[in-house]
Amino acid sequence: MTATSNKEACTPRTSQEGPDVRPVEGPQADEELASLTKALGHPARVQIMRLLVRREACICGDIVDELPLAQSTVSQHLKVLKDAGLIRGEIDGPRVCYCVEPRTLRRLKALVGSL
Amino acid sequence: MTATSNKEACTPRTSQEGPDVRPVEGPQADEELASLTKALGHPARVQIMRLLVRREACICGDIVDELPLAQSTVSQHLKVLKDAGLIRGEIDGPRVCYCVEPRTLRRLKALVGSL
DNA sequence: TCATTTCATCGATGTTCTACGATGGACCTT
DNA sequence: AAGGTCCATCGTAGAACATCGATGAAATGA
């Protein structure tokens, strides 16, 4: 199959976790907010997040095709988002399926909302 | 007076403006989200925003005292936030009063919320 | 087994960011 | 007028980032 998205591969196991009890203010939270916004602070990475959020499913491959950047550059951006915990990548045969990490995204929204 | 905050100098004239009609998705919105998060993507700048939001008023001077950075560096960070439209600075005699730009902050929240 | 596909990583290069001290302008206070 | 305070800007040095092409690893498929 062409497999551009996949609802099975990495359906968010974390989505029905309990509420986040971490404080939304304080030095720790500030660092976290800075780190998350920094990760998101690039047009290509925003675009990637949009792609993943819109589909509400993983995207297996084909992310490169959506962006006007070289494959290695896109891979680099995916790594930044992954290191920030905003997305997750699971190996699916020859491809890698990327999907958002709902928990971290919620955390980002909570932190921004606290401003 | 010592004047660390000032409710009069730049009370947000923009706070009772109408709702933002700009779209929260699309290429334009993506660029905007990237630009705003990039501006916020540094611990010092998050701290500055916290300072301003917490007081719900302007801070005239003294911002430097709150951060472990040189005056010129803090000024640099303030400029980044100002260029992004997240804060506003008004000259108040020898000092400059900084306060958040509620409109832009709301916009940021809306954009992040759309993810 | 061998070629192909998919992606991560490496190395190089140019750009941007972060930080500082020094300087200078604008505005009080005396 | 002189001195002091507050802050922006400049110049600079080092770190980090963004981008690309090339290479390599892992898995599939012929």
Side-chain angles (χ1 to χ4, degrees):
Chain A
M1 69 177 181
T2 314
T4 58
S5 66
N6 182 342
K7 276 206 183 293
E8 317 307 328
C10 50
T11 35
R13 290 187 295 268
T14 55
S15 65
Q16 56 258 32
E17 280 175 7
D20 201 328
V21 292
R22 284 175 292 173
V24 84
E25 290 187 38
Q28 193 78 29
D30 287 0
E31 283 290 337
E32 202 181 354
L33 177 52
S35 140
L36 289 175
T37 50
K38 180 177 182 178
L40 199 57
H42 189 287
R45 294 198 284 269
V46 168
Q47 253 180 287
I48 292 173
M49 288 299 291
R50 290 266 196 226
L51 284 175
L52 295 177
V53 169
R54 193 161 53 221
R55 305 215 185 174
E56 288 188 358
C58 300
I59 298 186
C60 304
D62 293 351
I63 290 188
V64 174
D65 304 340
E66 307 283 339
L67 300 176
L69 293 170
Q71 180 267 325
S72 58
T73 305
V74 173
S75 188
Q76 199 58 30
H77 285 304
L78 287 167
K79 178 173 164 52
V80 172
L81 290 172
K82 200 161 53 176
D83 288 349
L86 282 167
I87 66 174
R88 181 177 45 196
E90 296 198 351
I91 296 174
D92 174 33
R95 309 167 195 266
V96 176
C97 291
Y98 285 101
C99 54
V100 300
E101 188 74 69
R103 187 177 176 75
T104 309
L105 189 52
R106 277 201 308 272
R107 179 71 178 152
L108 170 63
K109 291 180 187 181
L111 287 167
V112 170
S114 77
L115 286 177
Chain B
M1 68 178 179
T2 314
T4 59
S5 68
N6 182 342
K7 276 208 181 294
E8 316 306 327
C10 50
T11 35
R13 292 185 295 269
T14 56
S15 64
Q16 56 258 33
E17 279 172 8
D20 201 330
V21 291
R22 285 176 292 175
V24 84
E25 289 188 38
Q28 192 80 28
D30 287 0
E31 283 289 337
E32 203 181 353
L33 176 51
S35 142
L36 289 175
T37 50
K38 180 176 181 179
L40 200 56
H42 189 287
R45 295 197 285 269
V46 169
Q47 253 181 287
I48 292 173
M49 288 299 290
R50 290 269 196 221
L51 284 175
L52 295 177
V53 169
R54 193 160 53 218
R55 306 215 184 175
E56 287 187 0
C58 301
I59 297 187
C60 304
D62 295 351
I63 290 189
V64 174
D65 304 339
E66 307 283 338
L67 300 176
L69 293 170
Q71 179 267 325
S72 58
T73 305
V74 173
S75 188
Q76 217 22 56
H77 285 303
L78 287 167
K79 179 174 163 53
V80 172
L81 290 173
K82 198 161 52 174
D83 288 350
L86 282 166
I87 67 175
R88 182 176 45 194
E90 296 196 352
I91 295 172
D92 173 33
R95 310 167 195 266
V96 177
C97 291
Y98 285 101
C99 55
V100 300
E101 188 76 70
R103 187 175 176 76
T104 310
L105 190 51
R106 278 200 308 272
R107 179 71 178 152
L108 170 62
K109 292 180 186 181
L111 287 167
V112 170
S114 76
L115 287 177

